[in-house]
Amino acid sequence: MRLKIAVCAKEKLFCEEIQRKIWINRPECKVVLFQSGKELLTIEKNYDIVFLDTEISDRNGMEVARELRKDNYKGYIIFLTNHAEFMADAFKVKAFCFLDKTITTRQLHETILEIEAEMFQNRKMIITDNGMEKVVKLEEILYVEAINNKTVLHTVSEEIETGKPLKYWKEELGTEFFCQTHKSYILGLKHVKEIKNGEATLRSSNQKIPISRRNYANCKKALYTYIREYGRGI
């Protein structure tokens, strides 16, 4: 998931340190730095996550958070602070959490993973099936199958035909929670019970999904990474 992240803090070196720590584990993320609340508030606000120092050069970080919410910002706000007294006001601006300024690279990475898991659980897409629009939650997709000139989304409750090619779904679904097992299949990692003998077994039905020899190593790695980073709870 290529997240767009804003970091707003008084000290440039601190901003750059947070940026560096994010990029160690997530080099694909776009990280934009700000040293004033005014600059952050006047720039496009389509960030997935905003890291806010409670002490910014021109105003209080809590005030900036209030302005963001007032401007209908729906993303995640994370406060960076050494002052616990700010925590009481965090609920008013729907902050995701507080992090100490001495946060480690690993703690930062784990926080981003928590946010991604929540985003994945809440993410929905509208799919047209025979002229009817359906809302599908990504976490409910078991696998996507290419059949002739169409694709079928197999979910926990139904099968949905689409006119989109498998390549489209590979780009749309990404690689954090899905992997392509075969030229005709994309698999939801949440629903995998095990991978062995060139097949992936689904947890709910024990159905077998083929894995090509070319994709086998990548699929095993993707499943191990998913379990390590996100666990089975999402």
Side-chain angles (χ1 to χ4, degrees):
M1 192 177 296
R2 189 176 186 274
L3 299 174
K4 187 174 181 181
I5 300 172
V7 179
C8 186
K10 181 178 180 180
E11 299 176 2
K12 182 180 178 181
L13 288 178
F14 179 66
C15 285
E16 292 174 344
E17 179 185 359
I18 297 297
Q19 181 185 57
R20 179 184 61 79
K21 287 180 177 179
I22 292 172
W23 280 346
I24 287 173
N25 288 298
R26 304 301 299 272
E28 78 282 3
C29 290
K30 181 176 181 180
V31 184
V32 184
L33 308 182
F34 300 92
Q35 288 180 258
S36 76
K38 180 179 180 180
E39 185 182 12
L40 173 63
L41 292 168
T42 54
I43 300 295
E44 184 181 9
K45 302 181 187 65
N46 63 339
Y47 300 102
D48 298 297
I49 306 172
V50 174
F51 287 94
L52 265 179
D53 190 346
T54 52
E55 299 175 5
I56 308 174
S57 60
D58 58 341
R59 64 180 72 187
N60 181 290
M62 193 64 68
E63 293 175 3
V64 175
R66 291 193 190 100
E67 287 296 318
L68 283 170
R69 293 304 189 203
K70 186 177 178 181
D71 290 344
N72 206 34
Y73 174 66
K74 301 295 186 182
Y76 292 84
I77 295 176
I78 297 175
F79 286 108
L80 301 167
T81 185
N82 294 327
H83 304 286
E85 63 268 21
F86 283 99
M87 296 180 68
D89 293 327
F91 297 103
K92 299 177 184 178
V93 295
K94 299 179 181 178
F96 182 75
C97 66
F98 272 82
L99 297 176
D100 192 276
K101 287 187 177 183
T102 59
I103 184 171
T104 66
T105 299
R106 183 61 196 173
Q107 289 171 327
L108 194 58
H109 181 52
E110 289 174 350
T111 300
I112 292 174
L113 289 176
E114 286 181 36
I115 289 175
E116 283 186 318
E118 186 171 302
M119 290 173 67
F120 179 66
Q121 287 179 317
N122 295 330
R123 187 178 169 193
K124 302 174 182 178
M125 49 181 21
I126 298 175
I127 301 172
T128 302
D129 179 20
N130 293 321
M132 181 182 298
E133 290 190 340
K134 296 183 177 181
V135 178
V136 177
K137 294 182 70 173
L138 263 64
E139 68 167 350
E140 294 182 353
I141 298 175
L142 301 174
Y143 63 96
V144 185
E145 181 181 12
I147 304 175
N148 298 324
N149 295 323
K150 65 181 181 181
T151 51
V152 178
L153 268 66
H154 299 261
T155 76
V156 295
S157 59
E158 62 181 330
E159 296 179 359
I160 304 172
E161 291 188 8
T162 84
K164 303 289 187 182
L166 201 70
K167 180 180 179 181
Y168 168 85
W169 290 113
K170 183 178 181 180
E171 295 175 356
E172 185 71 17
L173 297 174
T175 58
E176 279 79 22
F177 304 100
F178 295 87
C179 71
Q180 183 167 2
T181 67
H182 183 277
K183 65 179 181 180
S184 299
Y185 292 91
I186 294 174
L187 183 63
L189 295 170
K190 173 182 178 178
H191 305 283
V192 178
K193 178 181 180 180
E194 64 178 357
I195 289 177
K196 68 177 183 179
N197 300 328
E199 295 178 319
T201 304
L202 299 184
R203 285 192 290 158
S204 59
S205 63
N206 285 325
Q207 181 180 353
K208 309 291 186 181
I209 304 298
I211 305 176
S212 68
R213 183 178 300 177
R214 177 182 178 182
N215 292 331
Y216 192 74
N218 286 337
C219 288
K220 290 193 73 171
K221 181 180 178 181
L223 180 61
Y224 294 153
T225 299
Y226 169 83
I227 294 173
R228 184 182 69 246
E229 301 286 22
Y230 300 103
R232 290 292 193 177
I234 65 170

